Amino acid sequence: MRRSIWLPAVLVAGLVAVAGGSWAYRQPPGADAGFVDSFPVDRAVLADTGHNPYFILEPGYQLRCLDGADALVITVLPDTELVDGVRTRVVEERESRDGVPVEVSRNYFAIDPGTRDVYYFGEDVDDYAGGRVVGHDGSWRSG
């Protein structure tokens, strides 16, 4: 099944925009600016609610992307989920064509209240055909 490019485009745009802020990893002064393969994160400070200029992780927030009869509705739910030892906020995506569901996913995010960096912990995906769940392609969770 074709995966919508809407959410990745929205997420990439947000992450690219955030890269100009605190999202980008910065080497300490005097450190070698070579290849970086680890990004230390204090998981104990991550929160399931918050926002930065590009990402709103507050229950009730909703984003609607419409293109003719196609729609993607992204809703920050009141639900939380423990993923890889971190309490994450559930963000639901509902994609439809001509009013018929194509995909519903539950995405898991947490935010660092100090830096306001947002971390993605995976998603559970339901793919639809003819109004019925036919698969779970793309599902994954951190850890």
Side-chain angles (χ1 to χ4, degrees):
M1 175 159 294
R2 185 186 70 81
R3 173 105 170 123
S4 170
I5 62 167
W6 291 359
L7 179 65
V10 169
L11 288 177
V12 168
L15 294 177
V16 167
V18 174
S22 64
W23 179 268
Y25 179 75
R26 293 182 194 85
Q27 293 279 355
D32 177 17
F35 182 78
V36 176
D37 65 358
S38 66
F39 303 87
V41 175
D42 184 357
R43 296 157 84 70
V45 302
L46 297 181
D48 58 46
T49 301
H51 69 276
N52 65 36
Y54 309 99
F55 204 99
I56 299 170
L57 197 57
E58 296 172 352
Y61 177 77
Q62 189 172 78
L63 175 65
R64 293 175 177 264
C65 302
L66 306 174
D67 182 19
D70 296 346
L72 173 66
V73 178
I74 302 170
T75 306
V76 181
L77 300 178
D79 305 351
T80 62
E81 182 92 14
L82 190 63
V83 179
D84 201 10
V86 174
R87 177 67 49 198
T88 64
R89 175 67 50 193
V90 180
V91 177
E92 181 185 75
E93 303 167 45
R94 288 189 169 270
E95 181 183 351
S96 62
R97 287 193 192 93
D98 296 322
V100 177
V102 173
E103 178 182 293
V104 176
S105 64
R106 291 170 58 90
N107 298 267
Y108 309 106
F109 293 95
I111 188 167
D112 182 319
T115 64
R116 298 193 301 167
D117 294 338
V118 174
Y119 297 90
Y120 184 48
F121 285 81
E123 65 181 313
D124 293 325
V125 179
D126 290 335
D127 295 315
Y128 285 80
R132 299 182 62 161
V133 175
V134 294
H136 305 286
D137 289 346
S139 294
W140 73 278
R141 287 192 183 200
S142 175

